[in-house]
């Protein structure tokens, strides 16, 4: 009898399963702390190095802020949060290789919990790079014209971005079925982040980069995260990012769920 034939009473409590899978992911994090390095080092590197290198661009009249840290902090936060999603996809790839996912698929649990568990852990991990960049930003002169809302919306954007990339990563890994999928996941992540408004405003771009950045969904998420550091938080800069996050989680999460079903016995 497979799990799909079991009644609701026979299935393990859904959220208990999610909690167990989430705690298992954090146990792995404690045992292998090196997986935290990209999530901590890369956003800190972007925030510090980009600010030092491109500070002069703030003297251009069209640039919307006088401090480059105000501009690049959001990019670093979202980039670091995406690494949290990549990390969860990597953990799924390892679990596929060692047979853990196959054992879960023949267990009396709801299969969606196998997807939700890693995503919950992804959301919690995303808090770390956002906090690290905020602390670096405070030291480096980051402004908060948006007040408390600036901080809150930055966390929403970071956590949302991590969930979208986490769901996409899980789908790709389940589709390919082994650790080699991680190369594609990383290419997709960087391919979304860099042709966006991460470094310069859309108004200062030309040619194909402007066209790509204008339709790049990452642009809306970064704009949402950044708004409180260069001005007031408003709905016009918020709803496009929330829409991208919502649709991304639903679309890629559904894809990951479907790929998981294809592996079921």
């Amino acid at each position: 009898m497979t799990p799909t034939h079991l009644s609701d009473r026979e299935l393990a409590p859904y959220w208990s399963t999610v909690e167990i899978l989430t705690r298992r992911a954090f146990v792995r994090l404690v045992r292998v702390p090196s997986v935290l390095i990209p999530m901590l080092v890369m956003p800190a590197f972007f925030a510090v190095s980009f600010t030092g290198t491109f500070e002069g661009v703030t003297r251009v009249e069209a640039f919307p802020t006088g401090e480059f840290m105000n501009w690049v902090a959001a990019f670093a936060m979202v980039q670091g949060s995406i690494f949290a999603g990549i990390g969860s996809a990597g953990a799924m790839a390892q679990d596929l290789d060692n047979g853990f996912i196959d054992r879960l698929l023949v267990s009396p649990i709801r299969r969606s919990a196998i997807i939700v568990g890693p995503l919950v852990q992804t959301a919690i991990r995303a808090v770390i790079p956002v906090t690290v960049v905020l602390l670096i930003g405070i030291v480096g002169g980051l402004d908060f014209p948006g007040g408390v809302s600036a901080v809150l919306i930055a966390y929403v954007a970071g956590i949302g971005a991590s969930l979208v990339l986490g769901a996409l990563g899980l789908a790709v890994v389940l589709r390919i079925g082994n650790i080699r999928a991680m190369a594609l996941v990383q290419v997709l992540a960087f391919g979304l982040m860099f042709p966006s408004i991460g470094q310069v405003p859309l108004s200062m771009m030309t040619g194909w980069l402007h066209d790509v950045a204008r339709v790049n969904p990452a642009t809306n998420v970064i704009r949402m995260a950044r708004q409180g550091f260069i001005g007031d938080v408003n709905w016009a800069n918020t709803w496009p990012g929330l829409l991208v996050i919502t649709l991304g989680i639903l679309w890629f999460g559904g894809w990951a769920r479907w790929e998981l079903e294809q592996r079921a016995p």
Side-chain angles (χ1 to χ4, degrees):
M1 180 181 294
T2 65
T4 54
H5 298 140
L6 297 175
S7 67
D8 289 347
R9 289 185 177 181
E10 294 172 299
L11 289 168
Y14 183 82
W15 289 110
S16 295
T17 305
V18 170
E19 179 186 358
I20 291 170
L21 292 175
T22 302
R23 283 196 286 109
R24 177 180 181 271
F26 277 109
V27 168
R28 171 184 287 168
L29 202 61
V30 172
R31 291 177 177 173
V32 191
S34 60
V35 300
L36 283 173
I37 292 176
M39 192 173 62
L40 294 174
V41 173
M42 291 305 292
F45 172 79
F46 288 140
V48 174
S49 64
F50 281 16
T51 298
T53 303
F54 299 110
E55 182 65 32
V57 76
T58 59
R59 292 193 289 271
V60 177
E61 186 176 350
F63 205 80
T65 178
E67 293 288 341
F68 196 75
M69 177 62 78
N70 297 337
W71 186 261
V72 78
F75 173 76
M77 291 173 186
V78 175
Q79 181 72 66
S81 299
I82 282 176
F83 278 113
I86 293 175
S88 294
M92 175 68 77
Q94 291 178 347
D95 285 340
L96 284 171
D97 284 346
N98 63 31
F100 180 69
I101 297 301
D102 291 333
R103 294 195 294 273
L104 287 179
L105 287 172
V106 295
S107 302
I109 62 173
R110 294 186 185 276
R111 287 170 183 157
S112 60
I114 303 174
I115 302 297
V116 174
L119 290 181
V120 170
Q121 190 251 6
T122 294
I124 297 172
R125 285 176 62 180
V127 173
I128 300 174
V130 176
T131 303
V132 168
V133 175
L134 274 175
L135 295 175
I136 292 174
I138 291 171
V139 174
L142 181 64
D143 296 324
F144 296 89
V148 175
S149 297
V151 177
L152 293 178
I153 205 70
Y155 276 104
V156 171
I159 293 171
S162 74
L163 289 173
V164 173
L165 260 294
L168 172 61
L170 293 178
V172 171
V173 166
L174 288 168
R175 177 64 177 175
I176 296 177
N178 55 55
I179 197 68
R180 290 192 295 272
M182 291 308 301
L184 178 57
V185 173
Q186 293 180 40
V187 168
L188 290 173
F190 283 103
L192 280 170
M193 287 300 297
F194 283 98
S196 68
I197 59 170
Q199 287 82 39
V200 295
L202 199 61
S203 60
M204 297 177 65
M205 297 182 189
T206 59
W208 67 267
L209 182 59
H210 176 276
D211 296 334
V212 172
R214 185 171 57 85
V215 299
N216 186 346
T219 288
N220 290 324
V221 178
I222 295 172
R223 183 184 292 120
M224 179 177 73
R226 174 181 290 142
Q227 58 181 313
F229 304 134
I230 61 175
D232 294 330
V233 174
N234 58 68
W235 182 241
N237 286 324
T238 301
W239 77 261
L242 292 177
L243 181 63
V244 167
I245 290 169
T246 302
L247 293 179
I249 293 172
L250 293 176
W251 182 267
F252 295 129
W255 180 21
R257 178 74 168 82
W258 185 84
E259 292 291 352
L260 187 66
E261 286 293 342
Q262 304 314 300
R263 301 186 61 87

